[in-house]
Short mmCIF file of all heavy atoms in Angstrom, two decimals:
data_model
loop_
_atom_site.label_atom_id
_atom_site.label_comp_id
_atom_site.label_asym_id
_atom_site.label_seq_id
_atom_site.Cartn_x
_atom_site.Cartn_y
_atom_site.Cartn_z
N MET A 1 3.42 36.76 -35.33
CA MET A 1 4.60 36.27 -36.15
C MET A 1 5.53 35.45 -35.24
O MET A 1 5.79 35.87 -34.12
CB MET A 1 5.29 37.41 -36.89
CG MET A 1 4.55 37.88 -38.04
SD MET A 1 5.63 38.95 -39.07
CE MET A 1 5.71 40.46 -38.05
N LYS A 2 6.15 34.43 -35.79
CA LYS A 2 7.15 33.72 -35.04
C LYS A 2 8.54 34.26 -35.28
O LYS A 2 8.85 34.80 -36.30
CB LYS A 2 7.13 32.23 -35.54
CG LYS A 2 5.88 31.47 -35.11
CD LYS A 2 5.96 30.03 -35.43
CE LYS A 2 4.67 29.31 -34.96
NZ LYS A 2 4.70 27.91 -35.34
N ILE A 3 9.35 34.09 -34.21
CA ILE A 3 10.71 34.51 -34.34
C ILE A 3 11.57 33.60 -33.55
O ILE A 3 11.24 33.09 -32.42
CB ILE A 3 10.91 36.07 -33.78
CG1 ILE A 3 12.34 36.52 -34.04
CG2 ILE A 3 10.47 36.09 -32.31
CD1 ILE A 3 12.29 38.07 -33.88
N LEU A 4 12.76 33.18 -34.17
CA LEU A 4 13.67 32.25 -33.54
C LEU A 4 14.62 32.98 -32.62
O LEU A 4 15.21 34.00 -32.97
CB LEU A 4 14.41 31.52 -34.67
CG LEU A 4 15.46 30.47 -34.10
CD1 LEU A 4 14.63 29.23 -33.58
CD2 LEU A 4 16.31 30.04 -35.38
N VAL A 5 14.67 32.50 -31.33
CA VAL A 5 15.55 33.13 -30.33
C VAL A 5 16.58 32.06 -29.95
O VAL A 5 16.25 31.14 -29.15
CB VAL A 5 14.77 33.63 -29.15
CG1 VAL A 5 15.73 34.34 -28.20
CG2 VAL A 5 13.68 34.66 -29.63
N THR A 6 17.80 32.15 -30.41
CA THR A 6 18.76 31.26 -29.96
C THR A 6 19.26 31.65 -28.61
O THR A 6 19.42 32.82 -28.30
CB THR A 6 20.03 31.18 -30.97
OG1 THR A 6 20.57 32.48 -31.09
CG2 THR A 6 19.50 30.70 -32.35
N GLY A 7 19.54 30.67 -27.77
CA GLY A 7 19.93 31.03 -26.38
C GLY A 7 18.85 31.62 -25.58
O GLY A 7 19.05 32.38 -24.70
N GLY A 8 17.59 31.27 -25.93
CA GLY A 8 16.44 31.99 -25.35
C GLY A 8 16.11 31.67 -23.89
O GLY A 8 15.29 32.34 -23.33
N THR A 9 16.78 30.65 -23.34
CA THR A 9 16.54 30.50 -21.88
C THR A 9 17.68 31.08 -21.03
O THR A 9 17.74 31.02 -19.87
CB THR A 9 16.36 28.97 -21.50
OG1 THR A 9 17.43 28.26 -22.11
CG2 THR A 9 15.09 28.45 -21.95
N GLY A 10 18.63 31.73 -21.75
CA GLY A 10 19.78 32.43 -21.08
C GLY A 10 19.32 33.80 -20.54
O GLY A 10 18.12 34.22 -20.67
N TYR A 11 20.26 34.54 -20.00
CA TYR A 11 19.99 35.84 -19.41
C TYR A 11 19.38 36.83 -20.45
O TYR A 11 18.22 37.30 -20.23
CB TYR A 11 21.23 36.39 -18.79
CG TYR A 11 21.03 37.70 -18.13
CD1 TYR A 11 20.25 37.87 -17.03
CD2 TYR A 11 21.68 38.83 -18.64
CE1 TYR A 11 20.06 39.14 -16.43
CE2 TYR A 11 21.49 40.09 -18.06
CZ TYR A 11 20.67 40.23 -16.95
OH TYR A 11 20.51 41.41 -16.41
N ILE A 12 20.12 37.08 -21.48
CA ILE A 12 19.65 38.13 -22.41
C ILE A 12 18.42 37.49 -23.25
O ILE A 12 17.45 38.21 -23.46
CB ILE A 12 20.81 38.56 -23.36
CG1 ILE A 12 21.83 39.33 -22.62
CG2 ILE A 12 20.29 39.28 -24.60
CD1 ILE A 12 23.10 39.57 -23.32
N GLY A 13 18.59 36.21 -23.59
CA GLY A 13 17.48 35.62 -24.46
C GLY A 13 16.17 35.59 -23.76
O GLY A 13 15.14 35.86 -24.35
N SER A 14 16.19 35.23 -22.40
CA SER A 14 14.93 35.18 -21.69
C SER A 14 14.24 36.53 -21.63
O SER A 14 13.03 36.71 -21.70
CB SER A 14 15.10 34.51 -20.38
OG SER A 14 15.95 35.29 -19.54
N HIS A 15 15.03 37.61 -21.28
CA HIS A 15 14.49 38.90 -21.21
C HIS A 15 14.02 39.34 -22.65
O HIS A 15 12.92 39.97 -22.79
CB HIS A 15 15.55 39.92 -20.75
CG HIS A 15 15.73 39.87 -19.27
ND1 HIS A 15 15.00 40.54 -18.34
CD2 HIS A 15 16.61 39.04 -18.51
CE1 HIS A 15 15.39 40.16 -17.16
NE2 HIS A 15 16.40 39.35 -17.23
N THR A 16 14.67 38.93 -23.64
CA THR A 16 14.16 39.20 -25.03
C THR A 16 12.94 38.59 -25.33
O THR A 16 12.01 39.16 -25.90
CB THR A 16 15.29 38.78 -26.06
OG1 THR A 16 16.54 39.42 -25.83
CG2 THR A 16 14.88 39.05 -27.51
N CYS A 17 12.74 37.32 -24.87
CA CYS A 17 11.48 36.63 -25.14
C CYS A 17 10.30 37.34 -24.39
O CYS A 17 9.20 37.40 -24.96
CB CYS A 17 11.62 35.20 -24.61
SG CYS A 17 12.57 34.11 -25.70
N VAL A 18 10.53 37.81 -23.20
CA VAL A 18 9.48 38.56 -22.46
C VAL A 18 9.05 39.76 -23.26
O VAL A 18 7.83 40.05 -23.52
CB VAL A 18 9.95 38.94 -21.03
CG1 VAL A 18 8.96 39.97 -20.44
CG2 VAL A 18 10.06 37.70 -20.17
N GLN A 19 10.06 40.49 -23.71
CA GLN A 19 9.73 41.69 -24.57
C GLN A 19 9.03 41.38 -25.86
O GLN A 19 8.03 42.06 -26.23
CB GLN A 19 11.03 42.49 -24.87
CG GLN A 19 11.77 43.03 -23.65
CD GLN A 19 10.89 44.14 -22.94
OE1 GLN A 19 10.39 45.03 -23.61
NE2 GLN A 19 10.76 44.04 -21.65
N LEU A 20 9.44 40.34 -26.51
CA LEU A 20 8.83 39.88 -27.77
C LEU A 20 7.36 39.49 -27.53
O LEU A 20 6.45 39.92 -28.29
CB LEU A 20 9.54 38.71 -28.42
CG LEU A 20 10.94 39.12 -29.00
CD1 LEU A 20 11.68 37.80 -29.35
CD2 LEU A 20 10.76 39.93 -30.31
N ILE A 21 7.08 38.67 -26.48
CA ILE A 21 5.73 38.26 -26.18
C ILE A 21 4.88 39.46 -25.90
O ILE A 21 3.69 39.54 -26.37
CB ILE A 21 5.75 37.25 -25.05
CG1 ILE A 21 6.43 35.94 -25.45
CG2 ILE A 21 4.31 37.00 -24.52
CD1 ILE A 21 6.67 34.94 -24.33
N GLU A 22 5.39 40.41 -25.18
CA GLU A 22 4.59 41.61 -24.82
C GLU A 22 4.31 42.48 -26.08
O GLU A 22 3.46 43.33 -26.01
CB GLU A 22 5.33 42.40 -23.72
CG GLU A 22 5.22 41.67 -22.39
CD GLU A 22 5.93 42.39 -21.24
OE1 GLU A 22 6.67 43.30 -21.54
OE2 GLU A 22 5.71 41.91 -20.11
N LYS A 23 5.08 42.20 -27.13
CA LYS A 23 4.83 42.93 -28.42
C LYS A 23 4.12 42.01 -29.42
O LYS A 23 4.10 42.30 -30.65
CB LYS A 23 6.07 43.42 -29.04
CG LYS A 23 6.93 44.40 -28.17
CD LYS A 23 6.26 45.79 -28.18
CE LYS A 23 7.11 46.77 -27.39
NZ LYS A 23 6.38 48.09 -27.13
N ASP A 24 3.48 40.88 -28.88
CA ASP A 24 2.70 39.97 -29.68
C ASP A 24 3.51 39.19 -30.73
O ASP A 24 2.84 38.66 -31.67
CB ASP A 24 1.58 40.73 -30.41
CG ASP A 24 0.53 41.25 -29.38
OD1 ASP A 24 0.33 40.63 -28.32
OD2 ASP A 24 -0.01 42.32 -29.63
N TRP A 25 4.77 38.99 -30.54
CA TRP A 25 5.49 38.05 -31.27
C TRP A 25 5.44 36.68 -30.63
O TRP A 25 5.10 36.55 -29.44
CB TRP A 25 6.98 38.44 -31.41
CG TRP A 25 7.28 39.64 -32.27
CD1 TRP A 25 6.96 40.92 -31.97
CD2 TRP A 25 7.70 39.67 -33.59
NE1 TRP A 25 7.40 41.73 -33.02
CE2 TRP A 25 7.84 41.01 -34.03
CE3 TRP A 25 8.20 38.60 -34.50
CZ2 TRP A 25 8.29 41.29 -35.33
CZ3 TRP A 25 8.66 38.94 -35.74
CH2 TRP A 25 8.67 40.31 -36.12
N GLN A 26 5.75 35.59 -31.34
CA GLN A 26 5.75 34.25 -30.82
C GLN A 26 7.22 33.67 -30.85
O GLN A 26 7.59 33.22 -31.88
CB GLN A 26 4.84 33.28 -31.54
CG GLN A 26 3.36 33.73 -31.54
CD GLN A 26 2.52 32.81 -32.47
OE1 GLN A 26 2.74 32.66 -33.59
NE2 GLN A 26 1.54 32.13 -31.80
N PRO A 27 7.86 33.87 -29.75
CA PRO A 27 9.29 33.33 -29.78
C PRO A 27 9.37 31.83 -29.83
O PRO A 27 8.54 31.15 -29.19
CB PRO A 27 9.92 33.83 -28.49
CG PRO A 27 8.83 34.38 -27.71
CD PRO A 27 7.63 34.50 -28.48
N VAL A 28 10.28 31.29 -30.65
CA VAL A 28 10.56 29.83 -30.60
C VAL A 28 12.03 29.74 -30.21
O VAL A 28 12.97 30.24 -30.89
CB VAL A 28 10.38 29.21 -32.03
CG1 VAL A 28 10.75 27.82 -32.07
CG2 VAL A 28 8.97 29.41 -32.56
N ILE A 29 12.24 29.16 -29.08
CA ILE A 29 13.53 29.07 -28.47
C ILE A 29 14.27 27.89 -28.83
O ILE A 29 13.73 26.76 -28.80
CB ILE A 29 13.43 29.17 -26.90
CG1 ILE A 29 12.82 30.46 -26.37
CG2 ILE A 29 14.83 28.90 -26.24
CD1 ILE A 29 12.53 30.47 -24.92
N ILE A 30 15.57 28.08 -29.25
CA ILE A 30 16.46 26.92 -29.37
C ILE A 30 17.58 27.14 -28.32
O ILE A 30 18.27 28.24 -28.34
CB ILE A 30 17.15 26.78 -30.72
CG1 ILE A 30 16.01 26.36 -31.76
CG2 ILE A 30 18.23 25.70 -30.68
CD1 ILE A 30 16.61 26.11 -33.13
N ASP A 31 17.75 26.23 -27.42
CA ASP A 31 18.83 26.41 -26.45
C ASP A 31 19.34 24.95 -26.05
O ASP A 31 18.52 24.05 -25.94
CB ASP A 31 18.31 27.07 -25.16
CG ASP A 31 19.39 27.65 -24.34
OD1 ASP A 31 20.33 26.91 -23.86
OD2 ASP A 31 19.46 28.94 -24.16
N SER A 32 20.60 24.87 -25.86
CA SER A 32 21.19 23.57 -25.48
C SER A 32 21.06 23.36 -23.97
O SER A 32 21.34 22.17 -23.55
CB SER A 32 22.64 23.56 -25.93
OG SER A 32 23.34 24.51 -25.19
N LEU A 33 20.78 24.38 -23.28
CA LEU A 33 20.71 24.32 -21.75
C LEU A 33 22.10 24.12 -21.16
O LEU A 33 22.19 23.64 -20.01
CB LEU A 33 19.77 23.26 -21.22
CG LEU A 33 18.23 23.43 -21.67
CD1 LEU A 33 17.35 22.33 -21.12
CD2 LEU A 33 17.67 24.75 -21.21
N VAL A 34 23.16 24.45 -21.91
CA VAL A 34 24.49 24.29 -21.40
C VAL A 34 24.74 25.32 -20.28
O VAL A 34 25.61 25.09 -19.41
CB VAL A 34 25.57 24.41 -22.52
CG1 VAL A 34 25.62 25.84 -23.09
CG2 VAL A 34 26.93 24.00 -22.07
N ASN A 35 24.06 26.46 -20.29
CA ASN A 35 24.18 27.43 -19.23
C ASN A 35 22.89 28.06 -18.79
O ASN A 35 22.83 29.29 -18.46
CB ASN A 35 25.16 28.53 -19.72
CG ASN A 35 25.67 29.35 -18.59
OD1 ASN A 35 25.93 28.87 -17.53
ND2 ASN A 35 25.86 30.71 -18.80
N SER A 36 21.87 27.26 -18.77
CA SER A 36 20.55 27.77 -18.32
C SER A 36 19.65 26.54 -17.99
O SER A 36 20.06 25.41 -18.26
CB SER A 36 19.86 28.59 -19.34
OG SER A 36 19.65 27.90 -20.58
N LYS A 37 18.53 26.85 -17.40
CA LYS A 37 17.67 25.71 -16.99
C LYS A 37 16.29 25.81 -17.61
O LYS A 37 15.81 26.90 -17.94
CB LYS A 37 17.51 25.76 -15.38
CG LYS A 37 18.84 25.57 -14.72
CD LYS A 37 18.58 25.54 -13.15
CE LYS A 37 19.96 25.25 -12.49
NZ LYS A 37 19.93 25.42 -11.10
N ILE A 38 15.72 24.67 -17.79
CA ILE A 38 14.41 24.55 -18.44
C ILE A 38 13.33 25.34 -17.65
O ILE A 38 12.41 25.79 -18.23
CB ILE A 38 13.99 23.04 -18.61
CG1 ILE A 38 12.81 22.97 -19.57
CG2 ILE A 38 13.75 22.35 -17.30
CD1 ILE A 38 13.10 23.19 -21.00
N SER A 39 13.58 25.47 -16.29
CA SER A 39 12.64 26.19 -15.45
C SER A 39 12.49 27.66 -15.86
O SER A 39 11.50 28.31 -15.45
CB SER A 39 13.07 26.08 -13.94
OG SER A 39 14.36 26.62 -13.85
N VAL A 40 13.43 28.17 -16.71
CA VAL A 40 13.26 29.55 -17.14
C VAL A 40 11.93 29.71 -17.98
O VAL A 40 11.27 30.76 -17.93
CB VAL A 40 14.46 29.99 -18.04
CG1 VAL A 40 14.21 31.28 -18.73
CG2 VAL A 40 15.67 30.07 -17.12
N LEU A 41 11.53 28.64 -18.62
CA LEU A 41 10.22 28.71 -19.37
C LEU A 41 9.09 28.98 -18.40
O LEU A 41 8.15 29.74 -18.75
CB LEU A 41 9.96 27.38 -20.14
CG LEU A 41 11.02 27.03 -21.18
CD1 LEU A 41 10.71 25.66 -21.83
CD2 LEU A 41 11.02 28.06 -22.30
N ASP A 42 9.12 28.37 -17.21
CA ASP A 42 8.06 28.60 -16.22
C ASP A 42 7.97 30.08 -15.81
O ASP A 42 6.97 30.66 -15.67
CB ASP A 42 8.32 27.79 -14.95
CG ASP A 42 8.22 26.29 -15.20
OD1 ASP A 42 7.50 25.93 -16.18
OD2 ASP A 42 8.84 25.52 -14.49
N ARG A 43 9.23 30.68 -15.71
CA ARG A 43 9.26 32.13 -15.30
C ARG A 43 8.78 33.06 -16.39
O ARG A 43 8.07 34.02 -16.12
CB ARG A 43 10.66 32.44 -14.85
CG ARG A 43 11.08 31.52 -13.67
CD ARG A 43 12.56 31.77 -13.25
NE ARG A 43 12.65 33.08 -12.57
CZ ARG A 43 13.81 33.58 -12.14
NH1 ARG A 43 14.86 32.82 -12.21
NH2 ARG A 43 13.90 34.80 -11.55
N ILE A 44 9.15 32.71 -17.63
CA ILE A 44 8.61 33.49 -18.76
C ILE A 44 7.09 33.44 -18.82
O ILE A 44 6.41 34.43 -18.95
CB ILE A 44 9.21 33.04 -20.12
CG1 ILE A 44 10.71 33.34 -20.14
CG2 ILE A 44 8.55 33.71 -21.25
CD1 ILE A 44 11.47 32.69 -21.33
N GLN A 45 6.59 32.20 -18.55
CA GLN A 45 5.10 32.04 -18.54
C GLN A 45 4.48 32.87 -17.44
O GLN A 45 3.41 33.45 -17.57
CB GLN A 45 4.81 30.58 -18.49
CG GLN A 45 3.28 30.29 -18.52
CD GLN A 45 3.02 28.78 -18.69
OE1 GLN A 45 3.84 27.95 -18.49
NE2 GLN A 45 1.72 28.41 -18.98
N LYS A 46 5.10 32.80 -16.29
CA LYS A 46 4.55 33.45 -15.11
C LYS A 46 4.55 34.96 -15.29
O LYS A 46 3.50 35.63 -15.02
CB LYS A 46 5.42 33.16 -13.86
CG LYS A 46 4.85 33.72 -12.55
CD LYS A 46 5.64 33.24 -11.36
CE LYS A 46 4.99 33.69 -10.06
NZ LYS A 46 5.77 33.31 -8.86
N ILE A 47 5.47 35.49 -16.01
CA ILE A 47 5.57 36.99 -16.27
C ILE A 47 4.62 37.34 -17.39
O ILE A 47 3.94 38.41 -17.27
CB ILE A 47 6.99 37.37 -16.70
CG1 ILE A 47 7.96 37.22 -15.49
CG2 ILE A 47 7.02 38.79 -17.12
CD1 ILE A 47 9.38 37.28 -15.84
N THR A 48 4.54 36.55 -18.44
CA THR A 48 3.81 37.02 -19.65
C THR A 48 2.46 36.34 -19.82
O THR A 48 1.63 36.80 -20.62
CB THR A 48 4.64 36.77 -20.93
OG1 THR A 48 4.80 35.28 -21.05
CG2 THR A 48 5.97 37.41 -20.83
N GLY A 49 2.27 35.14 -19.15
CA GLY A 49 1.06 34.40 -19.40
C GLY A 49 1.19 33.48 -20.57
O GLY A 49 0.23 32.79 -20.96
N THR A 50 2.30 33.52 -21.25
CA THR A 50 2.48 32.67 -22.45
C THR A 50 3.79 31.91 -22.35
O THR A 50 4.86 32.38 -21.86
CB THR A 50 2.71 33.62 -23.71
OG1 THR A 50 1.48 34.36 -23.84
CG2 THR A 50 2.92 32.80 -24.90
N ARG A 51 3.71 30.58 -22.68
CA ARG A 51 4.90 29.73 -22.60
C ARG A 51 5.46 29.59 -23.98
O ARG A 51 4.76 29.08 -24.92
CB ARG A 51 4.46 28.30 -22.06
CG ARG A 51 5.67 27.40 -21.74
CD ARG A 51 5.12 26.13 -21.17
NE ARG A 51 6.19 25.32 -20.59
CZ ARG A 51 6.78 25.51 -19.38
NH1 ARG A 51 6.30 26.45 -18.62
NH2 ARG A 51 7.75 24.71 -18.97
N PRO A 52 6.72 30.07 -24.14
CA PRO A 52 7.23 29.98 -25.54
C PRO A 52 7.49 28.61 -26.04
O PRO A 52 7.76 27.66 -25.15
CB PRO A 52 8.51 30.79 -25.46
CG PRO A 52 8.79 30.97 -24.01
CD PRO A 52 7.56 30.74 -23.27
N SER A 53 7.46 28.29 -27.28
CA SER A 53 7.88 27.05 -27.83
C SER A 53 9.36 26.87 -27.61
O SER A 53 10.14 27.85 -27.53
CB SER A 53 7.67 26.99 -29.35
OG SER A 53 6.29 27.25 -29.67
N PHE A 54 9.72 25.59 -27.30
CA PHE A 54 11.14 25.38 -26.90
C PHE A 54 11.65 24.10 -27.65
O PHE A 54 10.97 23.02 -27.68
CB PHE A 54 11.22 25.19 -25.43
CG PHE A 54 12.63 24.75 -24.96
CD1 PHE A 54 13.61 25.65 -24.89
CD2 PHE A 54 12.91 23.40 -24.58
CE1 PHE A 54 14.94 25.33 -24.45
CE2 PHE A 54 14.23 23.08 -24.24
CZ PHE A 54 15.25 24.02 -24.16
N ILE A 55 12.80 24.24 -28.16
CA ILE A 55 13.52 23.11 -28.82
C ILE A 55 14.86 22.98 -28.12
O ILE A 55 15.66 23.97 -28.15
CB ILE A 55 13.67 23.27 -30.30
CG1 ILE A 55 12.38 23.40 -30.95
CG2 ILE A 55 14.49 22.11 -30.89
CD1 ILE A 55 12.33 23.97 -32.40
N GLN A 56 15.14 21.81 -27.56
CA GLN A 56 16.56 21.68 -26.94
C GLN A 56 17.49 21.19 -27.99
O GLN A 56 17.30 20.16 -28.66
CB GLN A 56 16.49 20.74 -25.73
CG GLN A 56 17.92 20.61 -25.07
CD GLN A 56 17.86 19.82 -23.78
OE1 GLN A 56 16.84 19.39 -23.32
NE2 GLN A 56 19.05 19.72 -23.29
N GLY A 57 18.55 22.01 -28.21
CA GLY A 57 19.59 21.53 -29.11
C GLY A 57 20.69 22.57 -29.33
O GLY A 57 20.53 23.67 -28.79
N ASP A 58 21.72 22.16 -30.06
CA ASP A 58 22.86 22.99 -30.26
C ASP A 58 22.77 23.73 -31.60
O ASP A 58 22.44 23.09 -32.63
CB ASP A 58 24.11 22.19 -30.22
CG ASP A 58 25.37 22.98 -30.13
OD1 ASP A 58 25.56 23.94 -30.92
OD2 ASP A 58 26.25 22.71 -29.19
N VAL A 59 22.88 25.09 -31.57
CA VAL A 59 22.75 25.89 -32.85
C VAL A 59 23.72 25.45 -33.91
O VAL A 59 23.59 25.86 -35.04
CB VAL A 59 22.73 27.34 -32.60
CG1 VAL A 59 21.53 27.77 -31.73
CG2 VAL A 59 24.05 27.86 -31.96
N ARG A 60 24.83 24.78 -33.48
CA ARG A 60 25.80 24.42 -34.47
C ARG A 60 25.39 23.18 -35.23
O ARG A 60 26.06 22.73 -36.12
CB ARG A 60 27.12 24.13 -33.75
CG ARG A 60 27.73 25.41 -33.18
CD ARG A 60 28.89 25.11 -32.22
NE ARG A 60 28.52 24.44 -31.01
CZ ARG A 60 29.30 24.17 -29.99
NH1 ARG A 60 30.52 24.59 -30.03
NH2 ARG A 60 28.81 23.54 -28.87
N GLU A 61 24.19 22.60 -34.79
CA GLU A 61 23.73 21.38 -35.56
C GLU A 61 22.95 21.89 -36.78
O GLU A 61 21.75 22.37 -36.63
CB GLU A 61 22.80 20.51 -34.65
CG GLU A 61 23.54 19.84 -33.52
CD GLU A 61 22.55 19.09 -32.62
OE1 GLU A 61 21.51 18.78 -33.06
OE2 GLU A 61 22.90 19.01 -31.45
N GLY A 62 23.47 21.77 -37.98
CA GLY A 62 22.80 22.31 -39.19
C GLY A 62 21.47 21.68 -39.43
O GLY A 62 20.50 22.40 -39.82
N ASP A 63 21.38 20.38 -39.20
CA ASP A 63 20.11 19.68 -39.47
C ASP A 63 18.99 20.20 -38.60
O ASP A 63 17.82 20.31 -38.95
CB ASP A 63 20.23 18.17 -39.25
CG ASP A 63 20.99 17.60 -40.41
OD1 ASP A 63 21.22 18.24 -41.46
OD2 ASP A 63 21.53 16.43 -40.26
N LEU A 64 19.35 20.56 -37.33
CA LEU A 64 18.38 21.06 -36.37
C LEU A 64 17.81 22.33 -36.83
O LEU A 64 16.60 22.60 -36.85
CB LEU A 64 19.03 21.16 -34.95
CG LEU A 64 18.13 21.84 -33.91
CD1 LEU A 64 17.04 20.88 -33.49
CD2 LEU A 64 18.99 22.19 -32.70
N LEU A 65 18.69 23.22 -37.31
CA LEU A 65 18.20 24.54 -37.70
C LEU A 65 17.27 24.47 -38.99
O LEU A 65 16.33 25.22 -39.11
CB LEU A 65 19.42 25.42 -37.99
CG LEU A 65 20.21 25.91 -36.76
CD1 LEU A 65 21.26 26.86 -37.09
CD2 LEU A 65 19.30 26.56 -35.72
N LYS A 66 17.65 23.52 -39.86
CA LYS A 66 16.83 23.35 -41.09
C LYS A 66 15.38 22.93 -40.66
O LYS A 66 14.46 23.34 -41.24
CB LYS A 66 17.39 22.27 -41.97
CG LYS A 66 18.62 22.73 -42.78
CD LYS A 66 19.15 21.62 -43.58
CE LYS A 66 20.56 21.99 -44.20
NZ LYS A 66 21.16 20.80 -44.83
N1 LIG B 101 21.94 39.56 -12.99
C1 LIG B 101 22.71 40.03 -14.00
O1 LIG B 101 22.95 41.23 -14.15
C2 LIG B 101 23.25 39.06 -14.99
C3 LIG B 101 23.00 37.71 -14.88
C4 LIG B 101 23.51 36.81 -15.78
C5 LIG B 101 24.31 37.34 -16.80
N2 LIG B 101 24.62 38.69 -16.85
C6 LIG B 101 25.44 39.20 -17.98
O2 LIG B 101 24.81 38.87 -19.19
C7 LIG B 101 25.81 38.45 -20.15
C8 LIG B 101 25.62 37.01 -20.44
O3 LIG B 101 24.27 36.83 -20.90
P1 LIG B 101 23.93 35.92 -22.11
O4 LIG B 101 22.46 35.87 -22.26
O5 LIG B 101 24.77 36.36 -23.26
O6 LIG B 101 24.55 34.47 -21.67
P2 LIG B 101 23.78 33.29 -21.02
O7 LIG B 101 24.85 32.15 -20.76
O8 LIG B 101 22.88 33.65 -19.87
O9 LIG B 101 22.84 32.77 -22.28
C9 LIG B 101 23.32 32.08 -23.31
C10 LIG B 101 22.35 30.86 -23.59
O10 LIG B 101 22.78 30.25 -24.74
C11 LIG B 101 22.81 28.84 -24.52
N3 LIG B 101 23.73 28.32 -25.40
C12 LIG B 101 25.14 28.47 -25.40
N4 LIG B 101 25.72 27.89 -26.38
C13 LIG B 101 24.71 27.34 -27.10
C14 LIG B 101 24.71 26.53 -28.34
N5 LIG B 101 25.87 26.23 -28.95
N6 LIG B 101 23.52 26.12 -28.80
C15 LIG B 101 22.36 26.44 -28.18
N7 LIG B 101 22.33 27.16 -27.03
C16 LIG B 101 23.52 27.63 -26.56
C17 LIG B 101 23.02 28.72 -23.05
O11 LIG B 101 22.46 27.46 -22.55
C18 LIG B 101 22.32 29.89 -22.48
O12 LIG B 101 20.93 29.57 -22.17
C19 LIG B 101 27.10 38.67 -19.49
O13 LIG B 101 27.52 39.98 -19.88
C20 LIG B 101 26.83 38.63 -18.06
O14 LIG B 101 27.67 39.32 -17.24
C21 LIG B 101 24.12 39.55 -16.00
#
């Protein structure tokens, strides 16, 4: 199952994604990268073997969330 993780490349979000993947969820990350780096995706992939889907954007953009 897919699950939306806002701020998923941040500190708490990235650890959450690792836990979700290990429980067979498919995280879809939305992050603006205002306080994190795209390279976090590489680290999640290295730890879990799975690269989460990623959308760069601001969660305050209503059209993006739709
Ligand atoms: N090594 C450590 O122990 C360590 C390291 C970092 C942080 N912390 C702690 O963790 C807490 C912070 O972690 P966090 O995960 O809440 O913060 P974070 O800043 O790491 O993660 C928030 C994420 O949300 C994104 N973001 C912010 N506003 C956004 C918006 N409007 N739209 C889309 N994305 C947006 C940022 O780019 C970032 O990736 C603090 O308590 C801090 O002290 C601990």
Side-chain angles (χ1 to χ4, degrees):
M1 285 193 288
K2 290 186 178 176
I3 187 164
L4 182 67
V5 182
T6 60
T9 48
Y11 178 66
I12 293 170
S14 60
H15 285 271
T16 300
C17 285
V18 168
Q19 294 295 313
L20 287 168
I21 291 167
E22 289 179 349
K23 298 288 184 188
D24 293 327
W25 288 77
Q26 295 177 303
V28 177
I29 295 172
I30 293 183
D31 200 300
S32 64
L33 300 179
V34 69
N35 195 36
S36 58
K37 294 182 177 170
I38 191 73
S39 59
V40 169
L41 296 178
D42 297 333
R43 299 177 70 179
I44 294 172
Q45 184 173 11
K46 188 172 181 184
I47 293 167
T48 65
T50 299
R51 191 175 189 83
S53 301
F54 175 76
I55 300 164
Q56 184 173 355
D58 194 308
V59 295
R60 294 170 293 186
E61 292 175 26
D63 287 343
L64 175 70
L65 290 184
K66 283 179 192 171

